[in-house]
Amino acid sequence: MNIVEEVQSKLKDEIRAAVIKAGLAQEDELPNVVLEIPKDKTHGDYSTNMAMQLARVAKKAPRMIAEELINHFDKTKASIDKIEIAGPGFINFYMDNSYLTHLIPTILQAGENYGETTVGNQQRIQVEFVSANPTGDLHLGHARGAAVGDSLCNILAKAGYDVSREYYINDAGNQINNLALSVEARYFQALGLEKEMPEDGYHGEDIIGIGKKLAEEFGDKYVHVEETERFDTFRQYGLQYEMEKLKKDLEDFRVRFDVWYSETSLYHNGKIDTALQKLRDNGYIYEKDGATWFKSTELGDDKDRVLIKQDGSYTYLTPDIAYHKDKLERGFEKLINIWGADHHGYIPRMKAAIQALGYAKDALEVEIIQLVHLYKNGEKMKMSKRTGKAVTMRDLVDEVGLDGVRYFFAMRSADTHMDFDLDLAVSQSNENPVYYAQYAHARICSILRQGEEQNITISKEVDLAQITAEKEIEVLKKLGEFPLAVAEAAEKRMPHRITNYIFELASTFHSFYNAEKVLDVENMERTKARLALIKSVQITLNNALSLIGVSAPEKM
RNA sequence: GUCCCAGUAGCUCAGCAGGAUAGAGCAACAGUUUCCUAAACUGUAGGUCGGGGGUUCGAAUCCCUCCUGGGACGCCA
């Protein structure tokens, strides 16, 4: 357990014990102990509203309860310096902060592992994200999904979950046929021949490129083969090309996946039939109008859904149900899907399917990525795949820089609409909060370099009692919060808690930097202690930034 | 019509399993550099938390309702 967690938990134990000793409540009437860090520093290090919560049970005024409670409180057991009653009945604890200096050796020892907690309990959790159709370039929405998904995975892993990252490849269905036909048209055009794009074709630059490549590689060979052979070849070729590009783009975006799962494989290994059979056995299937239906309304959906169309083919939902069944059979206790906003209406039916298969509804969690609107020169930019004028993920990265894009997307709660102002992110780059955090890191590196040049080494033998300045204590407190921030971000699935933390840590550091000098030949002991302190900040900043896929530069 | 997201300072947003005087960045204003990176720091000013009800010791936070903006609702994927 982290030192800060330990202190908090001891404090909570003592509060509980004091309530019992004072006879204010029975063991089973005890409300949950709420500890908070007051916004106002003069209200102490921790505060509890226990006395107010007990008002009803004890039938007394909160301030009187607080009085009795602190009379029975054992201060010696929880590093407490002073206790005060304030306001309507808050009990404020002023801690003896000497325990905080133990944080420094802990962080130096843990290094890149600092921040890890065990709240996840090694629960097996799978996160499926991006899963864009392999029919064109990744656009803004995918970039946001990739950033949020990857950050969430990193955070979950750090918090002690056993995480698997997965990409579902939609390589079956009409869109792939359209891809093949689009490639075909571009191939003919590359050879100077007439061929119309299909109605729902893909007009992206990438498809034109595939057509050219095929023409260069094979000449007019495929003009003369049978249509089905050409179709199959181009389908395969287009798919492979698109997937490779997609993987490369994601890799460059610092996102990796453990599993790439092919939709087509579900058609070949009988898993769709098995899933359908399971639904049938559980009584959720019926036939109507020549189609096969899923009785999803029985499980909270607004209408029943078609699984097998009149023409005998599956809807998108059918293999997807088989896919989710397969995920659960692989032993994941929790599935998190990160979907685009356009899939929002799809959630109830998927949850219904999970239940119809005999699993708990909340085995599946869906995080919706809301739309990103891009503004340039004060104008909203469109991002339609169809027009071929899409703003791609690559365009965005080229324009803003990878660190900026990753930070900006991690910074906002995923399920809210977001305006991304390019002019702001680019032209006034000092407004970009990512620089603020990176600058703190670079500053620390610079001081450490100079310390080395002066042959001052950071040893674990430093006299940490040298850490007494107010700004230093602030920094220490903030460092101690990191594992708690990670745990909270993981449990609430909120990567933006980490960017908030990064900003706060950078801010307390900058403030310390301006108030106190680290390197001071007149006072070697303190210099060593402060070097150890800023080294701890460096480690923590680095760890926090890496959770959201942002680099920590040594120089700026 | 049903559902989702949002409405908090001039702008962009935190805060929302109820807690003390609602926070930050940018913009505005006033300062800080013989000293480790001024991409920084310190301070001032700025808000009826969309409106209205309710729940209670206490509401930006929970419930109801209305208004405004964005989005989703295929035998497409």
Side-chain angles (χ1 to χ4, degrees):
Chain A
M1 206 190 294
N2 171 269
I3 294 172
V4 175
E5 280 177 284
E6 227 169 88
V7 166
Q8 291 188 0
S9 123
K10 270 190 201 155
L11 187 53
K12 285 186 185 179
D13 289 346
E14 287 312 309
I15 293 170
R16 248 179 250 121
V19 173
I20 304 288
K21 262 195 273 175
L24 291 162
Q26 301 298 314
E27 194 95 35
D28 58 339
E29 311 173 306
L30 262 184
N32 193 25
V33 181
V34 181
L35 265 195
E36 53 178 49
I37 300 175
K39 287 170 216 154
D40 186 337
K41 276 183 249 169
T42 63
H43 291 139
D45 297 298
Y46 292 105
S47 163
T48 184
N49 60 355
M50 181 53 80
M52 280 112 92
Q53 287 184 294
L54 284 171
R56 207 164 313 162
V57 186
K59 300 203 170 68
K60 283 180 190 168
R63 284 195 71 113
M64 275 180 65
I65 294 171
E67 197 83 35
E68 287 176 37
L69 202 151
I70 61 175
N71 286 338
H72 290 85
F73 198 93
D74 187 350
K75 283 205 275 187
T76 56
K77 286 195 185 160
S79 327
I80 289 162
D81 196 35
K82 193 172 63 166
I83 306 178
E84 275 178 5
I85 301 170
F90 288 101
I91 304 174
N92 295 335
F93 300 93
Y94 298 78
M95 309 300 286
D96 168 6
N97 283 320
S98 60
Y99 76 92
L100 281 171
T101 53
H102 300 309
L103 263 178
I104 294 176
T106 304
I107 295 170
L108 295 179
Q109 178 70 34
E112 63 180 20
N113 297 325
Y114 180 62
E116 283 180 0
T117 60
T118 54
V119 291
N121 232 344
Q122 288 304 305
Q123 186 187 34
R124 289 196 64 200
I125 186 162
Q126 189 226 41
V127 184
E128 183 215 318
F129 59 112
V130 187
S131 299
N133 289 344
T135 53
D137 290 317
L138 294 170
H139 58 63
L140 287 183
H142 298 130
R144 188 175 188 186
V148 169
D150 180 62
S151 302
L152 181 60
C153 288
N154 293 338
I155 292 163
L156 288 169
K158 192 104 181 153
Y161 291 85
D162 180 4
V163 184
S164 179
R165 303 138 178 270
E166 189 152 321
Y167 189 113
Y168 182 51
I169 308 167
N170 293 123
D171 55 4
N174 285 333
Q175 80 280 6
I176 295 300
N177 296 338
N178 282 326
L179 172 69
L181 294 172
S182 303
V183 169
E184 182 184 54
R186 294 306 192 194
Y187 167 71
F188 276 81
Q189 288 165 10
L191 292 167
L193 301 167
E194 286 281 315
K195 190 82 173 181
E196 256 184 63
M197 285 290 278
E199 203 179 324
D200 294 321
Y202 298 105
H203 294 83
E205 292 288 330
D206 51 330
I207 312 288
I208 298 174
I210 298 174
K212 272 190 197 145
K213 238 182 120 196
L214 279 165
E216 280 163 23
E217 205 169 320
F218 299 106
D220 63 354
K221 174 181 166 190
Y222 285 105
V223 176
H224 309 294
V225 303
E226 283 218 28
E227 206 168 318
T228 53
E229 187 194 336
R230 183 167 67 225
F231 180 84
D232 287 344
T233 308
F234 283 12
R235 184 179 184 280
Q236 206 44 48
Y237 192 96
L239 184 61
Q240 198 182 331
Y241 179 95
E242 289 293 336
M243 282 313 297
E244 274 169 21
K245 187 189 52 165
L246 219 141
K247 286 183 184 181
K248 176 82 171 60
D249 282 359
L250 286 165
E251 213 172 278
D252 291 347
F253 202 65
R254 301 195 187 119
V255 174
R256 59 164 191 87
F257 289 90
D258 298 306
V259 177
W260 297 82
Y261 199 101
S262 156
E263 180 187 1
T264 304
S265 72
L266 292 162
Y267 283 78
H268 300 317
N269 58 21
K271 285 189 173 158
I272 297 179
D273 293 334
T274 323
L276 280 170
Q277 193 54 48
K278 181 79 181 170
L279 292 177
R280 207 179 296 275
D281 292 347
N282 291 351
Y284 289 103
I285 298 274
Y286 65 94
E287 312 288 329
K288 193 182 97 186
D289 303 334
T292 301
W293 295 71
F294 170 35
K295 231 184 271 181
S296 56
T297 45
E298 286 196 5
L299 297 164
D301 198 4
D302 8 323
K303 37 185 141 163
D304 288 345
R305 307 293 171 177
V306 172
L307 293 175
I308 305 176
K309 297 183 244 177
Q310 279 180 338
D311 68 4
S313 65
Y314 299 128
T315 61
Y316 178 78
L317 179 62
T318 314
D320 211 12
I321 290 173
Y323 174 46
H324 283 78
K325 178 167 177 284
D326 179 69
K327 287 184 184 184
L328 289 160
E329 282 168 358
R330 278 186 269 157
F332 295 111
E333 295 160 66
K334 184 72 87 176
L335 306 177
I336 299 180
N337 287 355
I338 297 181
W339 284 347
D342 54 338
H343 281 62
H344 155 256
Y346 195 76
I347 299 170
R349 75 190 77 163
M350 202 63 225
K351 289 210 168 213
I354 298 267
Q355 288 176 87
L357 290 167
Y359 295 95
K361 183 165 72 175
D362 60 3
L364 173 68
E365 276 177 35
V366 181
E367 304 288 328
I368 287 294
I369 299 287
Q370 288 291 350
L371 290 189
V372 179
H373 291 130
L374 205 55
Y375 286 84
K376 189 164 187 172
N377 305 324
E379 271 177 45
K380 197 182 202 170
M381 294 173 79
K382 282 266 178 190
M383 49 172 192
S384 160
K385 236 182 197 181
R386 297 293 160 91
T387 61
K389 287 178 197 159
V391 177
T392 64
M393 178 163 105
R394 209 164 260 289
D395 292 337
L396 183 67
V397 171
D398 287 346
E399 190 109 21
V400 178
L402 181 52
D403 285 335
V405 174
R406 289 291 311 249
Y407 196 97
F408 260 73
F409 282 137
M411 193 167 63
R412 298 267 177 271
S413 171
D415 63 354
T416 67
H417 301 269
M418 176 175 177
D419 292 336
F420 201 119
D421 189 334
L422 274 178
D423 304 315
L424 198 80
V426 181
S427 68
Q428 291 177 280
S429 55
N430 59 331
E431 281 183 29
N432 192 333
V434 70
Y435 290 107
Y436 186 76
Q438 290 183 322
Y439 184 56
H441 187 268
R443 256 184 166 175
I444 292 168
C445 291
S446 169
I447 302 171
L448 291 174
R449 273 195 300 273
Q450 289 171 58
E452 268 173 51
E453 280 164 21
Q454 295 173 34
N455 289 317
I456 308 170
T457 48
I458 304 173
S459 74
K460 300 218 171 94
E461 314 298 306
V462 242
D463 180 7
L464 295 167
Q466 297 286 338
I467 307 279
T468 53
E470 193 191 332
K471 297 286 185 187
E472 290 172 318
I473 301 294
E474 298 280 307
V475 172
L476 275 177
K477 282 186 189 167
K478 201 44 84 178
L479 286 173
E481 285 174 30
F482 183 49
L484 306 176
V486 173
E488 200 197 359
E491 285 174 311
K492 294 189 174 169
R493 325 284 194 231
M494 288 179 164
H496 74 277
R497 291 293 164 98
I498 296 300
T499 55
N500 288 353
Y501 176 79
I502 289 170
F503 182 82
E504 288 162 14
L505 179 59
S507 175
T508 48
F509 169 75
H510 282 309
S511 182
F512 156 75
Y513 176 92
N514 276 275
E516 311 287 344
K517 196 157 191 296
V518 175
L519 299 173
D520 178 8
V521 283
E522 306 288 308
N523 192 340
M524 256 327 172
E525 282 307 304
R526 198 178 63 193
T527 298
K528 285 189 174 183
R530 285 188 172 167
L531 280 170
L533 174 68
I534 65 165
K535 179 76 188 167
S536 303
V537 177
Q538 181 205 35
I539 288 168
T540 307
L541 264 181
N542 199 356
N543 292 358
L545 285 168
S546 77
L547 286 178
I548 56 164
V550 175
S551 69
E554 302 199 347
K555 275 183 186 170
M556 281 175 78

